[in-house]
Amino acid sequence: MIRSTLALALAAALLAACGQGADQQEVAAPAALEPSGAPETVEVDDAAWLQAAASVIEMQPLPDLNAKVFGTAAGDPAVNGLYTYIAFFGGAAEGWRVFRLGDFESFEVLASAPGRIDLELRESAIDAESGQVAASTRRIIVGWTPGEDGAPPQTISVTPAA
């Protein structure tokens, strides 16, 4: 009990001392913008495709690969809910060729190279015995063979990785 009280007191003293250095400068918040003209009213854009675009909540462009990894909000956010995809741009006539990778909490692109990206995925599942949500992290390699003349791939592969 005495040891934990001393530890808390020491931690509080250290935190208080951190903010008292003579060389520290207070950073001012940026000033709010001042209007310089009349406002314009903008109406709702109800194009159907914008509903899907507005669902995108995370995106990692891969410009060297003419691709991107992105996630859309869906499902139960307490247990995953980030539907994750990789998409390859096929040009103005074709648009994007999209492949679903899965339903995760989050993703991180670890590395990318022609024909391959390495991803770290965080996901959760409900433990059958306890009923509690258990989180885990795993890695995968997404591979593909580009089509002729750099066209998007017809298929991709997903391989577990260490």
Side-chain angles (χ1 to χ4, degrees):
M1 176 75 168
I2 293 174
R3 199 179 298 186
S4 62
T5 303
L6 287 173
L8 284 174
L10 178 59
L14 287 172
L15 285 173
C18 287
Q20 296 182 10
D23 60 342
Q24 290 184 343
Q25 296 179 356
E26 191 171 310
V27 177
L33 297 176
E34 293 292 327
S36 64
E40 293 180 33
T41 301
V42 178
E43 300 295 325
V44 171
D45 188 337
D46 59 2
W49 68 271
L50 287 174
Q51 290 299 313
S55 295
V56 173
I57 60 170
E58 190 171 341
M59 197 257 309
Q60 175 67 54
L62 305 166
D64 294 346
L65 303 177
N66 208 23
K68 60 184 164 185
V69 179
F70 68 96
T72 61
D76 180 357
V79 180
N80 303 322
L82 182 67
Y83 291 170
T84 305
Y85 303 86
I86 185 168
F88 300 87
F89 190 65
E94 181 181 344
W96 293 91
R97 192 167 297 168
V98 182
F99 300 89
R100 184 171 173 183
L101 299 175
D103 181 10
F104 311 109
E105 285 183 6
S106 64
F107 67 84
E108 180 181 350
V109 176
L110 301 174
S112 63
R116 172 187 174 140
I117 62 168
D118 298 347
L119 293 174
E120 184 171 87
L121 308 168
R122 283 169 290 291
E123 58 191 334
S124 55
I126 298 177
D127 182 271
E129 291 181 24
S130 69
Q132 299 295 316
V133 175
S136 65
T137 301
R138 66 183 174 106
R139 294 177 173 183
I140 61 171
I141 300 165
V142 179
W144 65 91
T145 301
E148 196 171 305
D149 296 324
Q154 294 295 321
T155 62
I156 63 168
S157 63
V158 176
T159 306

